[in-house]
Amino acid sequence: MCYRLERRGRRAAGASECGTTKLTCFVGAVMFVLAAQTRTASGLTVYDMTTARGGTDRLGYFPNANIDPQDLTAGAFGLLTTFSLPPLGPAKIVGDIYATPLLYSPKADLLSQIIFVATEQNNVYTLNATTGTVIAKKHLTDAFDFSKDGFWCDDIVGFAGISGTPVIDSDTGTVYLWTKTYIPGKTGYENARYLFHALDVMTLSERPGYPVDQLQGRVAENASPEFPNPNSFFAGYQLQRTALLLMGDAVYAGFGSHCDSNNYTGWIVGVHKTEARVTSVWSTVVDNPNGAEFNGGGVWMAGSGLATDGSNRLFFVTGNDFLSPTTKPTPGDSPPASVLGMAVVNLGVNSTSLKTKATDFFMPYNYADLNAQDLDFASGGITLLPTSVFGTKETPKLSVVAGKTGILYLLDRDRLGGFLQGSDGGDAVVQAWLKVGGVNQMALSQPGVYPAEGGWVYLTTLGDRSLHAFKYSVKKDGKPSFAMFAASTTDFGRGVSSPVTTSMNGIPGSGLVWILEPTASSVYVFKAVPSNGSMTPIFTYDYSKIGDSKKFIAPTFTNGRAFIAAGSKVIVLGRKQTPLSAPLTNFATTAVGNTLTTTVTFRLDPSAAKLTISTASLAGSPSFSLAESPKLPKSMTQGSTIDVAIAFKPLASGPVGGSLKLYSNSGKTLVGAASLYGVGGTSAAGLSMPRLLDFGSVKVNANGAARTLTIKNMGNSASLVSSKTGGIIIPGPFARVGANGGVLAEPVEPGASVKEVIEFRPKKVGAFAVDVVFSTTGGNQTLRLTGKAV
């Protein structure tokens, strides 16, 4: 095992770069940034969101949102503008927005960035994300009209058109989506159809061969000749609610129904992204005994997306059904053939044929009771946790689900758990957190995640109408675990969004949790790391006078702004313009009790009017103070500057934040605010490591794959890092780039870092794993390297 070393400076590393996704873990006194070339298209920048919740893991973490908590507490954040959409189609209607708006930069810069919006009227819009100027607009086809078809369901009101969040292929600038419509010239649910579209995201012109109308009447490919009455797809009953997933050469989507109306069988459908053909049709219920309509197993997931960890497999959850698949203990790798309702499912995808097959599942031990009460145990969908922060060497790939039972399940996505596979005849899961509390605490939306500062998971529940924060840890027996750490007293209603999180490029203390409350048409923002056992909002905004958000929809973020779909409009929140501006100040890690001083420079905007600064004040952590009082009052002219000396003396270890605010008009008018961040360090070095570095599937004798591991010492004394290969489970072709192996011995100064580049170049087919022991003066850790040769 060998390495290539590169030095880095003292400033906290950013969590993302253009074309590179980085997962940042802060544990103890060392920060590690795991870099993986997961997004390499030149059209994709760090500011884009081309798929729901920012990634195919559905994590909902946006490290590059760059929304500063200090702005929110200083009154410097609020409404910037509202984008209004023009009405389209024969009825001249905009339509409600249930699908999350997406962001895409065709020229890899913010000036060209667009926001893509789709509505239930089958209208699509491409707008300039900065100005709101409409670049292109199109009415694709008539929407499904509930008033003409007698459906009692009010989950989506009036019309059903584009409900599931689309996905943008950044390589080609193509946006994919499903529309619910009719056979041209007809109405009525028996004439309903689902069409799959592939549009140029800039012009909204259809790609050749699209839309695809090949789904109506299709029989699931997992149906067997032993089932005499197989289900077939009937668009009139179905609702395409899940966010779309682009994986390899196909786009996948989940279908349920309108509420539990008629036949609400679940479907997973794949369509080729360039060949305009359906590649796979898989159903949760393949037998239709005696023509029964209520089969169940719908795939709704509160609008969240099908998820993947890049291993030719996709994960999703199903709702209740009326056909018991089994009453006998069933291993996860032998899923029931006929029914998979009330389950978490791992659907394998053949890399050549693109056909799908259930390869693993989990179903709770009390499946029958949950079915009878319509208590979908994972109704909010599945979230895949990053291996760099969560998991252990034995259980590196974790996921979380929650639902109407109010139980947070922690699952091993390599071994979901099957049915009745626990040692006591119960559930074979990593953890089932029961203390959220029963039916009265049901959760309907997806768990949110903050993969930093130790690792956190968030869940909104209806019984106490609260936001709950769960802290990650590894127990003494070596098993991963979550414990409920804090809860809010905020009153959330039905349909509240899944929590999403942001940070300032991963700076400790800058994490935020965002919630949209549709019943109140308000956004609530909390600090990601709670204090004193409570989650208290630091910012709220009521946009009810502008529009109303629809259930489960979450904000979209880019470079200091938050976009919120409100009815048929898009609200833009961001930092309010002040005449004085100053860059963010991020102090180097400083030992508790020591003091570090720096200067914050404010500049008056050249277009601003003259003003006089009357007072300066600090807010936030008491670890920040004025090193010396500025000479005030001070008159400012266009382009002039003022320097303010700030001292950072941490009172305890850990990240802190604050803000420096300047006022005019005797302290009544805020004219400038600067953000302050710092980390109180221990007197010694420390060490923590990502537990897994997975290289995925690599072809034998090909170019191989490389991964980069950056180790940063956030303590206050040098740490001597050494490592050697040990505990080889399966001999594997892992090596340092440009070297043949050996021992690393390198001092890492406080605030500095080393970077390791490791290659995986297999010469024979098989699965490989190597344990690498890192020994330092701050402690020891083991990193497991894994890869699959094909």
Side-chain angles (χ1 to χ4, degrees), residues 112-188:
S112 69
Q113 189 175 49
I114 61 95
I115 182 167
F116 176 81
V117 184
T119 78
E120 294 293 345
Q121 280 291 321
N122 287 331
N123 294 337
V124 289
Y125 303 86
T126 296
L127 290 75
N128 182 285
T130 300
T131 65
T133 301
V134 177
I135 298 172
K137 59 184 185 294
K138 191 172 186 177
H139 176 68
L140 296 174
T141 183
D142 292 341
F144 184 82
D145 188 344
F146 287 104
S147 67
K148 297 179 180 179
D149 292 306
F151 278 92
W152 61 267
C153 177
D154 60 357
D155 273 2
I156 294 178
V157 180
F159 296 87
I162 304 168
S163 306
T165 299
V167 63
I168 298 173
D169 183 351
S170 58
D171 286 328
T172 63
T174 302
V175 59
Y176 299 98
L177 55 91
W178 285 93
T179 58
K180 186 162 187 174
T181 184
Y182 299 103
I183 296 174
K186 297 184 178 182
T187 58

XYZ file of all heavy atoms in Angstrom, residues 112-188:
588
model
N -24.676 31.683 -16.797
C -25.512 30.935 -17.734
C -26.474 29.993 -17.027
O -27.248 29.301 -17.680
C -24.627 30.105 -18.678
O -23.986 29.051 -17.964
N -26.453 29.957 -15.700
C -27.265 28.978 -14.974
C -28.755 29.211 -15.195
O -29.242 30.338 -15.209
C -26.955 29.034 -13.487
C -27.589 27.900 -12.697
C -27.178 27.912 -11.255
O -27.236 28.951 -10.598
N -26.727 26.779 -10.749
N -29.452 28.090 -15.361
C -30.903 28.155 -15.554
C -31.594 27.375 -14.449
O -31.001 26.519 -13.790
C -31.320 27.607 -16.940
C -30.920 26.118 -17.108
C -30.728 28.443 -18.046
C -31.975 25.105 -16.774
N -32.860 27.688 -14.246
C -33.708 26.905 -13.361
C -34.829 26.315 -14.210
O -35.459 27.021 -15.010
C -34.250 27.746 -12.192
C -35.093 26.865 -11.250
C -35.027 28.956 -12.670
C -35.407 27.552 -9.919
N -35.024 25.011 -14.085
C -36.039 24.297 -14.866
C -37.223 23.986 -13.963
O -37.055 23.424 -12.874
C -35.469 23.007 -15.446
C -36.492 22.171 -16.174
C -36.841 22.466 -17.484
C -37.118 21.106 -15.549
C -37.793 21.716 -18.148
C -38.069 20.341 -16.199
C -38.409 20.648 -17.506
N -38.431 24.356 -14.427
C -39.645 24.205 -13.632
C -40.685 23.444 -14.453
O -40.869 23.707 -15.650
C -40.217 25.580 -13.213
C -41.421 25.404 -12.300
C -39.150 26.420 -12.529
N -41.370 22.490 -13.817
C -42.428 21.711 -14.461
C -43.688 21.770 -13.597
O -43.599 21.786 -12.367
C -41.982 20.265 -14.661
N -44.859 21.769 -14.227
C -46.110 21.914 -13.481
C -47.090 20.794 -13.798
O -46.914 20.022 -14.738
C -46.799 23.256 -13.790
O -47.480 23.181 -15.055
C -45.801 24.404 -13.841
N -48.167 20.746 -13.011
C -49.206 19.729 -13.197
C -50.061 19.982 -14.434
O -50.895 19.144 -14.788
C -50.099 19.657 -11.956
C -49.401 19.162 -10.709
C -48.964 17.709 -10.784
O -49.447 16.989 -11.680
O -48.139 17.295 -9.946
N -49.873 21.094 -15.118
C -50.548 21.344 -16.400
C -49.724 20.837 -17.576
O -50.048 21.106 -18.721
C -50.817 22.837 -16.571
C -52.046 23.336 -15.825
C -53.337 22.804 -16.424
O -53.489 22.692 -17.635
N -54.287 22.464 -15.560
N -48.660 20.085 -17.293
C -47.715 19.625 -18.316
C -47.039 20.793 -19.026
O -46.705 20.711 -20.212
C -48.407 18.692 -19.319
C -48.696 17.329 -18.724
O -47.985 16.867 -17.836
N -49.763 16.688 -19.208
N -46.835 21.857 -18.264
C -46.069 22.996 -18.745
C -44.636 22.892 -18.231
O -44.411 22.498 -17.076
C -46.663 24.311 -18.259
C -48.030 24.582 -18.827
O -48.398 24.048 -19.874
N -48.814 25.412 -18.147
N -43.674 23.252 -19.063
C -42.274 23.270 -18.657
C -41.676 24.628 -18.993
O -42.032 25.250 -20.010
C -41.464 22.137 -19.320
C -41.860 20.787 -18.739
C -41.653 22.114 -20.838
N -40.750 25.080 -18.142
C -40.168 26.411 -18.275
C -38.667 26.341 -18.011
O -38.226 25.650 -17.085
C -40.789 27.384 -17.276
C -42.290 27.515 -17.358
C -43.120 26.626 -16.673
C -42.884 28.540 -18.093
C -44.495 26.747 -16.726
C -44.264 28.676 -18.154
C -45.073 27.772 -17.466
O -46.440 27.898 -17.526
N -37.909 27.071 -18.783
C -36.489 27.285 -18.531
C -36.280 28.773 -18.323
O -36.570 29.586 -19.213
C -35.634 26.781 -19.705
O -35.802 25.365 -19.826
C -34.168 27.081 -19.475
N -35.792 29.146 -17.137
C -35.604 30.538 -16.772
C -34.146 30.795 -16.413
O -33.447 29.898 -15.923
C -36.469 30.914 -15.564
C -37.982 31.001 -15.701
C -38.603 29.616 -15.780
C -38.579 31.746 -14.518
N -33.698 32.015 -16.645
C -32.402 32.424 -16.131
C -32.475 32.428 -14.612
O -33.369 33.061 -14.029
C -32.025 33.809 -16.650
C -30.664 34.248 -16.174
O -30.484 34.626 -15.022
N -29.688 34.217 -17.072
N -31.567 31.720 -13.947
C -31.663 31.541 -12.504
C -31.345 32.808 -11.727
O -31.660 32.892 -10.542
C -30.735 30.417 -12.062
N -30.748 33.788 -12.382
C -30.415 35.039 -11.705
C -31.515 36.080 -11.880
O -31.941 36.717 -10.921
C -29.084 35.596 -12.220
O -28.052 34.640 -11.981
C -28.739 36.908 -11.518
N -31.984 36.225 -13.106
C -32.941 37.289 -13.411
C -34.387 36.816 -13.468
O -35.304 37.632 -13.374
C -32.598 37.932 -14.758
O -32.774 36.966 -15.807
C -31.158 38.430 -14.770
N -34.601 35.528 -13.670
C -35.954 35.018 -13.835
C -36.491 35.162 -15.248
O -37.648 34.807 -15.516
N -35.672 35.673 -16.155
C -36.111 35.818 -17.549
C -36.443 34.455 -18.149
O -35.678 33.503 -18.011
C -35.003 36.481 -18.387
O -34.691 37.756 -17.828
C -35.438 36.646 -19.835
N -37.591 34.376 -18.797
C -38.013 33.118 -19.417
C -37.209 32.900 -20.699
O -37.306 33.679 -21.647
C -39.523 33.120 -19.718
C -39.919 31.828 -20.425
C -40.323 33.275 -18.430
N -36.413 31.844 -20.723
C -35.612 31.504 -21.908
C -36.415 30.655 -22.878
O -36.336 30.825 -24.095
C -34.328 30.770 -21.467
C -33.472 31.686 -20.583
C -33.525 30.288 -22.672
C -32.300 30.986 -19.943
N -37.187 29.722 -22.336
C -38.034 28.862 -23.166
C -39.224 28.415 -22.334
O -39.142 28.283 -21.111
C -37.257 27.653 -23.679
N -40.335 28.163 -22.999
C -41.536 27.670 -22.336
C -42.291 26.787 -23.308
O -42.241 26.986 -24.532
C -42.420 28.830 -21.860
C -42.895 29.771 -22.954
C -43.683 30.935 -22.368
C -44.274 31.836 -23.450
N -43.252 32.534 -24.237
N -43.008 25.765 -22.761
C -43.696 24.833 -23.653
C -44.817 24.106 -22.913
O -44.630 23.665 -21.774
C -42.704 23.807 -24.211
C -43.256 22.947 -25.344
C -42.147 22.105 -25.951
C -42.617 21.345 -27.172
N -41.510 20.570 -27.800
N -45.956 24.003 -23.568
C -47.048 23.155 -23.091
C -46.924 21.836 -23.840
O -47.111 21.775 -25.056
C -48.400 23.815 -23.372
C -49.575 22.971 -23.008
N -49.901 22.661 -21.711
C -50.515 22.361 -23.790
C -50.983 21.900 -21.689
N -51.372 21.707 -22.939
N -46.598 20.753 -23.110
C -46.280 19.493 -23.768
C -47.519 18.748 -24.258
O -47.534 18.217 -25.373
C -45.485 18.601 -22.811
C -44.112 19.132 -22.404
C -43.477 18.237 -21.349
C -43.189 19.244 -23.625
N -48.553 18.686 -23.413
C -49.759 17.939 -23.762
C -50.816 18.217 -22.707
O -50.521 18.759 -21.640
C -49.464 16.421 -23.829
O -50.630 15.716 -24.228
C -48.991 15.894 -22.482
N -52.068 17.877 -22.993
C -53.134 18.102 -22.023
C -52.886 17.284 -20.754
O -52.390 16.155 -20.809
C -54.492 17.721 -22.609
C -54.924 18.664 -23.724
O -54.372 19.777 -23.793
O -55.807 18.285 -24.523
N -53.264 17.849 -19.613
C -53.095 17.170 -18.332
C -54.331 16.347 -18.001
O -55.434 16.598 -18.496
C -52.820 18.187 -17.230
N -54.147 15.352 -17.142
C -55.240 14.504 -16.661
C -56.142 15.342 -15.760
O -55.675 15.962 -14.804
C -54.650 13.322 -15.899
C -55.644 12.306 -15.433
C -56.105 11.319 -16.297
C -56.101 12.315 -14.133
C -57.007 10.369 -15.862
C -57.003 11.376 -13.682
C -57.464 10.398 -14.551
N -57.440 15.363 -16.041
C -58.400 16.231 -15.372
C -59.235 15.419 -14.387
O -60.064 14.597 -14.786
C -59.297 16.897 -16.417
C -60.198 17.969 -15.820
O -60.348 17.997 -14.583
O -60.745 18.763 -16.589
N -59.011 15.630 -13.085
C -59.752 14.864 -12.068
C -61.244 15.151 -12.108
O -62.055 14.278 -11.793
C -59.213 15.189 -10.670
C -57.867 14.595 -10.381
C -56.736 15.388 -10.398
C -57.717 13.258 -10.099
C -55.492 14.855 -10.129
C -56.477 12.707 -9.831
C -55.367 13.520 -9.849
N -61.626 16.360 -12.486
C -63.048 16.718 -12.472
C -63.851 15.913 -13.479
O -65.072 15.780 -13.339
C -63.196 18.217 -12.758
O -62.802 18.515 -14.102
N -63.178 15.356 -14.481
C -63.888 14.585 -15.505
C -63.852 13.085 -15.233
O -64.470 12.313 -15.971
C -63.269 14.866 -16.875
C -63.395 16.317 -17.325
C -62.744 16.524 -18.679
C -62.865 17.982 -19.126
N -62.214 18.220 -20.433
N -63.128 12.676 -14.184
C -62.919 11.249 -14.000
C -63.351 10.716 -12.645
O -63.163 9.532 -12.358
C -61.446 10.915 -14.239
C -61.070 11.095 -15.699
O -61.741 10.510 -16.550
O -60.128 11.845 -15.967
N -63.940 11.568 -11.796
C -64.581 11.087 -10.588
C -63.671 10.527 -9.519
O -64.131 9.761 -8.667
N -62.393 10.874 -9.492
C -61.494 10.373 -8.457
C -61.739 11.137 -7.157
O -61.847 12.355 -7.139
C -60.034 10.537 -8.881
C -59.535 9.446 -9.777
C -59.611 9.567 -11.156
C -59.017 8.280 -9.246
C -59.152 8.564 -11.978
C -58.551 7.273 -10.064
C -58.619 7.399 -11.440
N -61.804 10.391 -6.047
C -62.015 11.039 -4.755
C -60.718 11.569 -4.147
O -60.748 12.363 -3.221
C -62.655 10.063 -3.775
C -61.808 8.834 -3.503
C -61.875 7.643 -4.140
C -60.773 8.714 -2.528
N -60.944 6.765 -3.644
C -60.256 7.389 -2.648
C -60.218 9.568 -1.570
C -59.228 6.920 -1.845
C -59.197 9.094 -0.779
C -58.708 7.772 -0.917
N -59.592 11.133 -4.650
C -58.307 11.473 -4.041
C -57.994 12.960 -4.208
O -58.156 13.523 -5.290
C -57.196 10.640 -4.685
S -55.543 11.040 -4.075
N -57.532 13.586 -3.116
C -57.154 14.997 -3.185
C -55.681 15.213 -2.890
O -55.263 16.306 -2.499
C -58.008 15.828 -2.221
C -57.845 15.395 -0.767
O -57.120 14.410 -0.522
O -58.441 16.048 0.115
N -54.865 14.164 -3.052
C -53.429 14.329 -2.848
C -52.851 15.355 -3.820
O -51.992 16.153 -3.473
C -52.712 12.990 -3.035
C -52.674 12.202 -1.732
O -53.226 12.695 -0.741
O -52.114 11.106 -1.713
N -53.283 15.276 -5.058
C -52.957 16.274 -6.071
C -54.283 16.811 -6.587
O -55.122 16.039 -7.054
C -52.114 15.679 -7.208
C -50.741 15.265 -6.665
C -51.953 16.664 -8.353
C -49.844 14.631 -7.681
N -54.483 18.092 -6.481
C -55.793 18.688 -6.708
C -55.927 19.208 -8.135
O -55.021 19.854 -8.658
C -56.037 19.833 -5.701
C -57.403 20.466 -5.927
C -55.926 19.318 -4.277
N -57.063 18.918 -8.755
C -57.405 19.506 -10.047
C -56.889 18.737 -11.234
O -57.656 18.115 -11.971
N -55.582 18.788 -11.449
C -54.980 18.161 -12.617
C -53.730 17.389 -12.201
O -53.011 17.786 -11.284
C -54.594 19.201 -13.667
C -55.752 19.958 -14.252
C -56.228 21.105 -13.626
C -56.368 19.526 -15.414
C -57.294 21.802 -14.150
C -57.435 20.219 -15.956
C -57.906 21.364 -15.314
N -53.471 16.308 -12.916
C -52.217 15.575 -12.767
C -51.480 15.635 -14.089
O -52.009 15.224 -15.132
C -52.470 14.124 -12.366
N -50.281 16.148 -14.064
C -49.462 16.253 -15.276
C -48.066 15.750 -15.020
O -47.767 14.573 -15.146
N -47.182 16.665 -14.597
C -45.807 16.304 -14.217
C -45.734 16.390 -12.696
O -45.716 17.478 -12.123
C -44.777 17.243 -14.866
C -44.946 17.253 -16.392
C -43.354 16.808 -14.498
C -44.169 18.351 -17.088
N -45.704 15.235 -12.042
C -45.699 15.174 -10.576
C -44.337 14.783 -10.024
O -43.901 15.317 -9.007
C -46.760 14.175 -10.082
O -48.034 14.472 -10.604
N -43.679 13.828 -10.672
C -42.358 13.400 -10.223
C -41.283 14.361 -10.689
O -41.315 14.848 -11.830
N -40.316 14.648 -9.816
C -39.227 15.567 -10.176
C -38.419 14.999 -11.337
O -37.953 13.857 -11.271
C -38.306 15.799 -8.972
O -39.064 16.397 -7.917
C -37.140 16.703 -9.335
N -38.251 15.763 -12.426
C -37.454 15.305 -13.570
C -35.984 15.142 -13.213
O -35.560 15.370 -12.070
C -37.663 16.419 -14.613
C -38.911 17.127 -14.181
C -38.894 17.057 -12.674
N -35.185 14.750 -14.199
C -33.735 14.644 -14.023
C -33.071 15.186 -15.277
O -33.580 15.022 -16.394
C -33.306 13.187 -13.752
C -33.625 12.268 -14.931
C -31.819 13.101 -13.412
N -31.930 15.878 -15.098
C -31.188 16.460 -16.216
C -29.895 15.680 -16.410
O -29.146 15.455 -15.460
C -30.865 17.944 -15.964
C -32.160 18.763 -15.836
C -30.007 18.515 -17.096
C -31.930 20.216 -15.429
N -29.637 15.257 -17.640
C -28.362 14.635 -18.005
C -27.399 15.764 -18.353
O -27.527 16.408 -19.402
C -28.554 13.694 -19.190
C -27.261 12.956 -19.560
O -26.199 13.303 -19.020
O -27.332 12.034 -20.400
N -26.439 16.031 -17.479
C -25.536 17.161 -17.685
C -24.577 16.946 -18.846
O -23.996 17.898 -19.366
C -24.743 17.433 -16.400
O -24.018 16.286 -16.028
N -24.389 15.684 -19.282
C -23.523 15.427 -20.432
C -24.129 15.950 -21.727
O -23.420 16.411 -22.614
C -23.264 13.930 -20.574
C -22.304 13.406 -19.525
O -21.407 14.166 -19.119
O -22.445 12.253 -19.109
N -25.457 15.853 -21.825
C -26.129 16.189 -23.084
C -27.069 17.374 -22.971
O -27.602 17.837 -23.985
C -26.929 14.980 -23.590
O -27.967 14.669 -22.638
C -26.034 13.767 -23.770
N -27.295 17.885 -21.761
C -28.259 18.959 -21.590
C -29.676 18.512 -21.863
O -30.509 19.300 -22.324
N -29.985 17.248 -21.572
C -31.318 16.696 -21.804
C -32.039 16.542 -20.474
O -31.465 16.021 -19.505
C -31.233 15.319 -22.486
O -30.516 15.448 -23.717
C -32.618 14.757 -22.764
N -33.288 16.989 -20.416
C -34.102 16.795 -19.231
C -35.155 15.731 -19.543
O -35.783 15.741 -20.592
C -34.759 18.111 -18.761
C -35.650 18.729 -19.834
C -35.543 17.891 -17.474
N -35.308 14.772 -18.615
C -36.232 13.656 -18.787
C -37.377 13.792 -17.792
O -37.169 14.148 -16.618
C -35.519 12.321 -18.562
C -34.378 12.066 -19.519
C -33.057 12.325 -19.153
C -34.620 11.574 -20.802
C -32.007 12.087 -20.028
C -33.573 11.343 -21.690
C -32.271 11.600 -21.298
O -31.237 11.366 -22.176
N -38.598 13.449 -18.242
C -39.762 13.556 -17.377
C -40.918 12.730 -17.937
O -40.934 12.358 -19.111
C -40.181 15.017 -17.216
C -40.456 15.818 -18.503
C -41.923 15.747 -18.915
C -40.027 17.263 -18.329
N -41.893 12.437 -17.058
C -43.129 11.749 -17.442
C -44.302 12.723 -17.363
O -44.375 13.539 -16.434
C -43.419 10.585 -16.493
C -42.571 9.367 -16.693
C -41.405 9.058 -16.060
C -42.830 8.276 -17.590
N -40.915 7.850 -16.494
C -41.776 7.340 -17.431
C -43.856 7.989 -18.498
C -41.711 6.148 -18.147
C -43.799 6.810 -19.215
C -42.740 5.901 -19.047
N -45.206 12.660 -18.334
C -46.444 13.442 -18.288
C -47.640 12.501 -18.273
O -47.657 11.486 -18.977
C -46.586 14.369 -19.507
O -46.558 13.594 -20.725
C -45.487 15.399 -19.554
N -48.651 12.843 -17.455
C -49.920 12.108 -17.490
C -50.871 12.878 -18.385
O -51.083 14.077 -18.203
C -50.513 11.945 -16.094
C -51.766 11.062 -16.091
C -52.127 10.534 -14.729
C -53.285 9.530 -14.842
N -53.594 8.873 -13.557
N -51.459 12.180 -19.359
C -52.278 12.837 -20.353
C -53.327 11.859 -20.873
O -53.657 10.869 -20.197
C -51.395 13.375 -21.501
O -52.199 14.102 -22.427
C -50.651 12.264 -22.220
N -53.876 12.128 -22.041
C -54.885 11.280 -22.681
C -54.464 10.925 -24.102
O -53.588 11.569 -24.690
C -56.237 12.003 -22.757
C -56.847 12.404 -21.456
C -56.796 13.723 -21.015
C -57.508 11.474 -20.651
C -57.378 14.106 -19.826
C -58.103 11.842 -19.461
C -58.030 13.167 -19.047
O -58.617 13.535 -17.865
N -55.127 9.916 -24.647
C -55.053 9.710 -26.091
C -55.551 10.990 -26.749
O -56.569 11.549 -26.337
C -55.933 8.517 -26.514
C -55.398 7.216 -25.898
C -55.984 8.398 -28.035
C -56.301 6.024 -26.149
N -54.855 11.520 -27.732
C -55.272 12.795 -28.332
C -56.745 12.795 -28.728
O -57.246 11.857 -29.347
C -54.361 12.910 -29.561
C -53.136 12.154 -29.182
C -53.620 11.003 -28.348
N -57.442 13.856 -28.326
C -58.842 14.016 -28.683
C -59.810 13.307 -27.761
O -61.026 13.400 -27.971
N -59.328 12.617 -26.728
C -60.223 11.875 -25.836
C -59.981 12.293 -24.389
O -58.968 12.890 -24.051
C -60.017 10.369 -25.993
C -60.360 9.842 -27.385
C -60.237 8.320 -27.436
C -60.622 7.802 -28.808
N -60.569 6.313 -28.881
N -60.937 11.952 -23.530
C -60.804 12.152 -22.092
C -61.302 10.893 -21.394
O -61.672 9.917 -22.041
C -61.617 13.376 -21.618
O -62.992 13.189 -21.982
C -61.100 14.660 -22.247
N -61.340 10.912 -20.066
C -61.758 9.740 -19.311
C -60.575 8.903 -18.893
O -59.606 8.755 -19.640
